[in-house]
Amino acid sequence: MARSATVSQRTKIKRTAPRGFLRRVFKRYKPHLRLEARGDLLVHLSCLLFIRRLAEESRTNAYENKCSIINKDHVVDAAKVILKKSRG
Amino acid sequence: LSHYVKLFSFHAKMPMEKKAVEMVERCLDKYFQNLCNDLEVFAAHAGRKTVKPEDLELLLRRQGLVTDEVSMHVLVEQHLPMEYRQLLIPCAFSGNSVFPAH
């Protein structure tokens, strides 16, 4: 595997929520609905938990296949499980 | 979206392929779509045109994240930084006033 095709870990992450981005996405899908103040933070929270579950699931998949990097297929398999779990 | 991809690689604790990153973005897109549809249904069911925090709590409950043991405030406390926590969790201040008021 060529080195350039992989993305290594970042050591530093921001914990601030991209609030404007979340509001824009919500408006794009539902232009006729209003999002209450602080609602975007809860949307951020749910995204955070979704990403966390997805990451853990794909890590487990990669581990089972004895891969040291996360493959596309691992993410696809994880997404099937986690998107099913996170239906409203 | 790159913000959430960074979070993904943080939680995965492993290097990942570029294609996997694209896949994560597509999953997030799908997730946003489902989330917006669900919120619309919840708000319409309550006869509102505004999405309120209750709808989000119901969503998290249906996703199995908020349960009887783990309330939403616990999740907020665990995952969000201090300044957002202050906005979301009601807290008593001096003069017997509660912020944010409900």
Side-chain angles (χ1 to χ4, degrees), chain A residues 1 4-19 21-22 25-26 28-30 32-39 41-56 58-59 62-63 67-72 75-76 79 83 85-88, chain B residues 1 3-21 23-24 27-40 42-43 48-53 56-57 59-60 62-65 72 75-76 78-81 83-84 87-88 100-102:
Chain A
M1 175 56 59
S4 60
T6 64
V7 177
S8 66
Q9 288 178 256
R10 302 273 156 69
T11 48
K12 201 178 161 194
I13 56 162
K14 282 195 296 186
R15 296 194 71 198
T16 51
R19 298 183 73 168
F21 167 76
L22 289 171
V25 169
F26 187 80
R28 196 176 77 218
Y29 286 122
K30 302 287 160 202
H32 52 281
L33 283 185
R34 263 190 66 220
L35 195 58
E36 171 117 326
R38 307 193 302 274
L41 288 180
L42 291 171
V43 174
H44 173 65
L45 176 66
S46 72
C47 289
L48 214 63
L49 292 166
F50 168 72
I51 278 292
R52 194 192 169 93
R53 290 208 286 190
L54 188 68
E56 274 165 13
S58 42
R59 182 176 158 80
Y63 197 72
C67 285
S68 59
I69 65 170
I70 288 177
N71 219 337
K72 189 183 162 194
V75 179
V76 173
L83 279 174
K85 266 187 199 170
S86 56
R87 278 187 306 204
Chain B
L1 277 175
H3 179 75
Y4 289 108
V5 174
K6 270 182 211 164
L7 280 173
F8 182 90
S9 66
F10 174 75
H11 283 302
K13 303 186 192 81
M14 268 187 189
M16 54 197 291
E17 283 184 9
K18 284 253 169 69
K19 276 184 182 169
V21 172
M23 212 49 223
V24 171
C27 291
L28 262 173
D29 233 27
K30 190 82 194 159
Y31 178 72
F32 270 126
Q33 227 169 317
N34 290 348
L35 185 123
C36 292
N37 289 335
D38 292 335
L39 289 179
E40 185 186 23
F42 294 154
R48 280 189 261 109
K49 280 193 164 184
T50 311
V51 175
K52 290 208 170 182
L56 268 309
E57 186 173 359
L59 183 78
L60 289 179
R62 299 217 9 130
Q63 289 175 357
L65 294 167
M72 196 176 67
L75 287 178
V76 169
Q78 278 174 353
H79 295 286
L80 294 186
E83 53 269 30
Y84 298 148
L87 291 176
L88 289 171
H102 281 291

